[in-house]
Amino acid sequence: MKAKRVKIITIIAIIVLITMISFIGVYTQVQNRMENQVKNYSYAMDINGTRTIVLTPSTDNKTTIKDTDGKEVENSSNLTDAQIAEKGYTKEESKYNEDDVLTSDNYEKSKQILEERFKDLEIKNYLIRVNEETGNLTLEIDENTDADTIVSNITQVGKFEIIDSDTQEVLMDNNDIKLVNVMYGSNSSQTSTSSGTSAYLNIEFNDDGTKKLENITGTYVNTTSNNTSSNTTDSSDNTQNTDTTTDNDTSSSTTNKKITMKIDDEKIMSTSFDQVIKTGKLQLTVGTSTTDKTKLKENAKKASNIAMILDNGNLPIKYTTDENKYILSDITTDTLQKVEIGVAILAGIALIILMFRYKVNGILSAISFIGFASILLLTIRYANVILSIEGIFAIVIILILNYIFNDKLLNNIRKANKEKVEIENTKKQIKETYKNFVLRIIPISIMSIAFCFANWIPMSSFGMVTFWGIVLILIYNLLFTSTLVKLQSGIVEAKDNKLNKPKVKSSKKVKEEKTDKIVEKKEKNNNTKTAKEQKTKANNTKNKTNTKRNGKNK
Amino acid sequence: MKKLTLKSKIIIALLAIVLIAGISIILTIGFNKDLEYEDAQNIQLYINSDFEVSDIKQITDEIFQNQEVMIQKVEVYKDSVSITTKEITDDQKSQLVSKINEKYSRDIDEKNTDIKVVPHIKLMDLITPYIIPFIIATVIILIYLVIRYRKLGVLKVILKTVGIIILTELELISLIAITRIPLGRLTIPMVITVYMLSLIGITTKYEKQLSSKIKEEKKEEEK
């Protein structure tokens, strides 16, 4: 019995320790100040606040310089007005966004493209508001170190063009693209000066695009074999590898025609082709091939940004960033504290009820419940669960589920031990309660796992909290609550046995008791017999007197 | 057919009333929406020092009275305030600026303070990210329920489960419409919670039905 009491005290001490770590923390001295070593919660943007970006349709004008033939002059930004006049060029100004482009349909289309870009960037929580009158887009994303990069990339128009370098005729555009993604490959080309791994931008064209590419690669072909261009043909898949970081117009003078690839009117490269491409795939090297992991990561990031922009079509409107601010949530720490206090009060009331209903078992279960809440909150922090409002709801639901489980467990044990407390009964009831509980929570376990994989933080937050909660209900209660209740049953059983322990009787006494019992039984039987006889006699006399009276009356 | 008890009749009647009332309110008046889901106006003021949201709340309560107001701190230094409400008139703006100037000894120029339009979030944008995970989860759950409770009838289990899930969600939406709880960031957590509770309810009911069916079968076998 003593050992069992010590075990109970030890378990309670462990629960108190976990509770203290979870609710108070573990403080150590770091540079003359005390710092809590317990991990903080990660909050989603509905609690943490958002990076708010307001995009407005650009009202700027773009200047194009054209030569005497009306063709756009490349690299004209450095030309002075005097040089322009001297060469006979003309300067034309036009709006980036013509009035007919600024329509509500295009605003909505821009929103949809931005949504797709967010998905490509694996941004799992965002909000986009559209002002249908002005076309302003308000984007809200999570505030983190990547927020600025995301903002700068996402607002690009993404206009893709392959043009004839001489005539400026547009040969291919966004409409010809099927998909754009990033690929990696080791540089095995003979002309390559560097070795290592390269990040490739893989552009796949649709049926129309494939035909156009075949025509272009047939028309814009190198005519000499001693071409000094960095372009190389990959014999395995018949696609063109072009280094975008270097200017590739060093091809020999014998090359007749060249194409220029532009993204957002910015020249990416100018090249001609060695072979006809029939696969409809174009692979462009981004950066140089490298063995350095960080450099390769940088190149891959650049490539994936271009891929993200090209893959979802171009924005019909050019936007400029009007506002870029971190705005905190209106759910402050005070609000969260109020919620915590509210939940704590309700839990307190529920635990008091549990204690009144089940006495000692109730008290043990209440202590265990507090431990459960603490360990759940610790798990959420260390399992890197991002807490959103949905996640907070899930915490409350899990606490309710755990309470229901404890109540069922104690109720079953009480019913089973109504007449006499036996540890075997308790064990049996624990098993039974577990079995029933597990069968009932399988669907919500499926739900929680499915939600965990959702690409939307509020939903995955709910899923993850529920998942960890269910796992903890099953494991924690097995380790703590059930053990405490079993130990308590053991103590009560031992006490009862001690109180009702039969004294050692001599064989004579046992015989005497037996004979006494037999005599008592016989006497009882005799008594009942005589009582019956007396009753029948009384009844007979009654009947006789009644018949006499009836006769007299007659 | 199973005869309904008085208690279940009352419950069904109540549920039907809530559903009808809710749907008619949605169709006539519509939902009461949170500030986030309605067009609003916003003003941002640079206070140049840390401030308490409650102090700003006092000022906005005086100016906007019964209007719903959202107060947020801006930027890492939290020295600017963003005030969002349904409508801000020029008069309210000047009052707000002068009171903030007075409280925090600032000289914010009213002319340099713009009222910005905050477009609403579309209700579909709120729902869309949840649709596919909900469908996937429900389909997997249905497969499990059909396998586990096949003795109760496959079609019966499918129809009953889908019916109960839809009905409970409709009841919740109706209640939201009737009680005029604003549609906002608490709506989805409520919907998920009700979904979860309906699943627990369904499983508990099926478990009971299954155990009684197994008992009946055993009795018949014994006979």
Side-chain angles (χ1 to χ4, degrees):
Chain A
M1 214 155 79
K2 245 186 183 179
K4 279 175 184 165
R5 277 198 180 129
V6 171
K7 272 184 190 170
I8 289 178
I9 292 164
T10 315
I11 292 170
I12 291 171
I14 293 168
I15 291 170
V16 171
L17 188 70
I18 295 167
T19 310
M20 283 175 74
I21 291 170
S22 182
F23 289 107
I24 301 166
V26 178
Y27 286 85
T28 54
Q29 200 166 2
V30 179
Q31 293 171 341
N32 292 329
R33 63 192 164 87
M34 298 303 279
E35 205 172 78
N36 190 3
Q37 295 302 312
V38 177
K39 204 172 182 261
N40 265 332
Y41 293 101
S42 316
Y43 291 115
M45 70 179 204
D46 48 4
I47 300 172
N48 199 32
T50 58
R51 175 65 73 95
T52 308
I53 307 122
V54 179
L55 303 176
T56 50
S58 175
T59 50
D60 295 344
N61 289 336
K62 62 175 173 185
T63 312
T64 43
I65 294 165
K66 290 184 175 175
D67 60 16
T68 45
D69 297 331
K71 287 176 197 166
E72 199 176 319
V73 178
E74 281 180 36
N75 303 323
S76 58
S77 54
N78 297 329
L79 294 174
T80 59
D81 284 349
Q83 283 172 321
I84 292 167
E86 193 185 312
K87 289 183 176 177
Y89 293 164
T90 50
K91 212 175 182 181
E92 279 181 18
E93 292 232 329
S94 59
K95 278 182 181 177
Y96 274 113
N97 296 315
E98 295 296 341
D99 291 341
D100 59 332
V101 173
L102 301 171
T103 59
S104 57
D105 283 348
N106 279 339
Y107 300 149
E108 193 55 39
K109 196 183 169 191
S110 303
K111 184 200 157 203
Q112 283 166 5
I113 290 168
L114 288 179
E115 278 176 346
E116 291 304 318
R117 287 182 182 180
F118 278 140
K119 278 176 199 163
D120 274 5
L121 285 171
E122 291 184 352
I123 295 171
K124 293 175 180 174
N125 202 7
Y126 59 84
L127 276 175
I128 303 178
R129 303 163 192 262
V130 190
N131 188 332
E132 280 163 6
E133 285 171 21
T134 59
N136 285 5
L137 294 173
T138 311
L139 319 178
E140 289 174 29
I141 55 169
D142 255 328
E143 170 67 17
N144 55 38
T145 46
D146 287 335
D148 282 316
T149 326
I150 292 163
V151 174
S152 65
N153 287 323
I154 207 130
T155 49
Q156 286 190 44
V157 172
K159 188 178 156 197
F160 170 84
E161 278 177 333
I162 291 179
I163 57 167
D164 184 308
S165 299
D166 297 328
T167 62
Q168 307 290 312
E169 183 197 345
V170 178
L171 305 168
M172 292 180 93
D173 60 15
N174 292 78
N175 296 325
D176 300 310
I177 296 175
K178 188 178 164 190
L179 73 91
V180 185
N181 56 11
V182 182
M183 289 172 124
Y184 298 91
S186 56
N187 201 336
S188 58
S189 109
Q190 287 174 346
T191 53
S192 177
T193 51
S194 56
S195 62
T197 314
S198 300
Y200 293 97
L201 188 68
N202 177 49
I203 306 174
E204 278 184 44
F205 294 95
N206 53 27
D207 291 345
D208 249 22
T210 308
K211 279 175 198 164
K212 281 182 187 174
L213 188 68
E214 198 181 329
N215 283 337
I216 291 166
T217 50
T219 316
Y220 298 81
V221 68
N222 283 330
T223 52
T224 53
S225 56
N226 58 344
N227 198 322
T228 54
S229 164
S230 63
N231 297 350
T232 50
T233 306
D234 188 347
S235 57
S236 60
D237 60 354
N238 201 24
T239 53
Q240 193 87 7
N241 293 331
T242 310
D243 194 334
T244 56
T245 55
T246 55
D247 201 355
N248 297 314
D249 51 5
T250 54
S251 52
S252 83
S253 56
T254 47
T255 300
N256 293 328
K257 285 180 130 192
K258 282 202 291 186
I259 58 107
T260 302
M261 191 181 283
K262 282 181 171 182
I263 294 176
D264 283 350
D265 293 323
E266 216 172 276
K267 186 179 157 188
I268 298 295
M269 62 174 207
S270 192
T271 189
S272 54
F273 300 89
D274 289 338
Q275 276 187 347
V276 176
I277 300 171
K278 290 178 180 174
T279 53
K281 287 178 187 173
L282 199 63
Q283 286 166 342
L284 311 167
T285 320
V286 176
T288 48
S289 60
T290 177
T291 48
D292 184 12
K293 270 186 184 174
T294 48
K295 206 170 180 191
L296 183 67
K297 235 181 179 181
E298 267 177 39
N299 291 341
K301 209 170 184 183
K302 271 184 202 169
S304 62
N305 281 335
I306 301 170
M308 174 268 294
I309 291 162
L310 296 183
D311 197 32
N312 302 301
N314 58 320
L315 289 173
I317 297 163
K318 185 179 167 62
Y319 281 96
T320 50
T321 310
D322 188 42
E323 193 183 299
N324 182 1
K325 278 180 182 168
Y326 168 43
I327 297 180
L328 279 81
S329 170
D330 59 326
I331 301 170
T332 56
T333 41
D334 285 351
T335 326
L336 287 176
Q337 271 175 358
K338 278 176 194 167
V339 173
E340 273 174 32
I341 292 166
V343 173
I345 290 169
L346 287 174
I349 294 165
L351 292 179
I352 289 167
I353 294 168
L354 203 72
M355 288 191 268
F356 272 106
R357 278 186 76 184
Y358 304 105
K359 309 287 183 292
V360 183
N361 272 354
I363 293 168
L364 292 173
S365 192
I367 294 167
S368 177
F369 183 91
I370 295 164
F372 173 81
S374 316
I375 215 160
L376 176 69
L377 297 179
L378 277 176
T379 313
I380 288 167
R381 277 177 269 185
Y382 282 99
N384 288 328
V385 177
I386 299 171
L387 261 190
S388 65
I389 296 173
E390 282 82 351
I392 294 171
F393 261 73
I395 293 175
V396 176
I397 293 169
I398 287 299
L399 291 179
I400 294 169
L401 269 182
N402 187 54
Y403 184 84
I404 292 169
F405 175 80
N406 284 349
D407 183 63
K408 286 259 173 207
L409 181 75
L410 298 184
N411 199 25
N412 288 347
I413 291 170
R414 188 168 68 177
K415 272 181 191 171
N417 293 333
K418 212 170 189 179
E419 286 176 4
K420 199 187 171 194
V421 177
E422 276 177 20
I423 197 155
E424 282 310 311
N425 275 344
T426 311
K427 281 180 184 173
K428 203 179 161 189
Q429 289 313 312
I430 290 170
K431 262 187 189 173
E432 201 61 31
T433 315
Y434 257 93
K435 193 186 147 195
N436 286 336
F437 187 75
V438 168
L439 284 173
R440 277 162 178 75
I441 60 161
I442 287 174
I444 58 164
S445 308
I446 295 170
M447 179 209 77
S448 71
I449 293 166
F451 284 7
C452 279
F453 293 104
N455 267 333
W456 191 247
I457 286 175
M459 197 153 211
S460 60
S461 172
F462 188 93
M464 283 179 191
V465 173
T466 326
F467 172 77
W468 285 114
I470 290 168
V471 170
L472 278 179
I473 288 176
L474 299 176
I475 298 172
Y476 177 88
N477 286 313
L478 194 70
L479 293 175
F480 289 87
T481 320
S482 305
T483 317
L484 280 174
V485 173
K486 266 190 261 177
L487 288 168
Q488 176 58 23
S489 297
I491 291 170
V492 176
E493 193 184 358
K495 255 186 189 176
D496 285 353
N497 287 344
K498 211 176 182 182
L499 285 172
N500 303 325
K501 210 174 182 180
K503 286 166 193 171
V504 185
K505 293 169 186 173
S506 61
S507 56
K508 265 188 182 179
K509 271 193 175 179
V510 173
K511 272 184 183 175
E512 275 175 12
E513 274 179 11
K514 272 186 181 177
T515 47
D516 283 348
K517 274 181 185 174
I518 293 163
V519 170
E520 266 177 32
K521 266 188 181 177
K522 276 183 179 174
E523 274 176 359
K524 264 187 186 175
N525 288 335
N526 290 336
N527 286 338
T528 46
K529 271 182 186 176
T530 47
K532 273 182 185 176
E533 278 170 3
Q534 277 173 354
K535 263 189 182 177
T536 44
K537 272 182 184 175
N539 285 335
N540 289 337
T541 47
K542 263 187 185 176
N543 288 335
K544 277 178 186 176
T545 47
N546 283 336
T547 44
K548 274 180 186 175
R549 271 181 201 167
N550 289 336
K552 275 181 185 175
N553 288 335
K554 276 179 184 175
Chain B
M1 271 285 273
K2 215 177 168 183
K3 267 192 176 180
L4 292 171
T5 58
L6 183 69
K7 197 181 158 188
S8 45
K9 274 179 190 170
I10 293 169
I11 291 170
I12 290 168
L14 275 173
L15 289 175
I17 291 166
V18 168
L19 202 66
I20 294 162
I23 290 167
S24 31
I25 287 173
I26 293 165
L27 292 174
T28 51
I29 313 166
F31 287 108
N32 181 21
K33 286 177 192 165
D34 217 352
L35 203 57
E36 291 255 310
Y37 299 90
E38 278 193 305
D39 285 332
Q41 289 187 327
N42 170 274
I43 194 166
Q44 285 183 18
L45 302 165
Y46 178 53
I47 292 175
N48 197 22
S49 62
D50 199 3
F51 60 90
E52 288 299 319
V53 171
S54 54
D55 292 337
I56 305 288
K57 182 96 178 70
Q58 263 185 353
I59 295 170
T60 54
D61 281 348
E62 280 173 35
I63 298 166
F64 299 107
Q65 288 168 356
N66 295 328
Q67 243 171 276
E68 193 190 344
V69 181
M70 190 162 74
I71 300 160
Q72 291 162 286
K73 289 187 174 187
V74 182
E75 295 289 5
V76 186
Y77 298 110
K78 299 165 188 172
D79 50 5
S80 294
V81 64
S82 162
I83 298 162
T84 313
T85 184
K86 199 150 192 242
E87 201 183 354
I88 305 171
T89 61
D90 288 336
D91 184 40
Q92 284 169 332
K93 184 180 93 173
S94 60
Q95 275 185 59
L96 190 67
V97 171
S98 67
K99 286 203 172 174
I100 295 249
N101 280 340
E102 197 184 314
K103 173 99 186 166
Y104 297 99
S105 315
R106 294 273 301 138
D107 54 350
I108 303 165
D109 189 1
E110 191 194 315
K111 286 172 190 167
N112 293 335
T113 315
D114 294 327
I115 299 169
K116 287 178 181 168
V117 175
V118 183
H120 67 276
I121 301 166
K122 285 183 180 170
L123 210 60
M124 269 316 283
D125 289 347
L126 176 78
I127 301 164
T128 313
Y130 297 88
I131 294 173
I132 293 172
F134 254 108
I135 292 171
I136 293 170
T138 311
V139 168
I140 302 169
I141 290 165
L142 273 177
I143 293 168
Y144 163 74
L145 291 177
V146 162
I147 295 168
R148 166 97 185 125
Y149 305 107
R150 59 190 179 279
K151 282 187 177 173
L152 302 175
V154 174
L155 199 69
K156 201 178 161 188
V157 168
I158 293 172
L159 291 176
K160 222 175 185 180
T161 311
V162 174
I164 289 172
I165 290 171
I166 293 171
L167 198 73
T168 45
E169 293 300 344
L170 284 176
E171 288 291 339
L172 173 72
I173 292 164
S174 302
L175 272 176
I176 289 171
I178 295 165
T179 53
R180 309 305 293 155
I181 296 170
L183 268 194
R185 49 189 163 198
L186 293 180
T187 314
I188 292 288
M190 283 198 281
V191 168
I192 303 175
T193 308
V194 168
Y195 175 73
M196 199 169 157
L197 293 176
S198 64
L199 285 177
I200 296 173
I202 291 164
T203 327
T204 311
K205 204 180 172 189
Y206 287 159
E207 271 305 317
K208 277 179 188 169
Q209 284 178 354
L210 187 70
S211 58
S212 62
K213 190 150 194 173
I214 289 168
K215 272 179 193 171
E216 274 174 25
E217 280 177 357
K218 269 185 183 174
K219 269 182 189 176
E220 278 176 16
E221 273 176 21
E222 279 169 11
K223 276 177 188 176

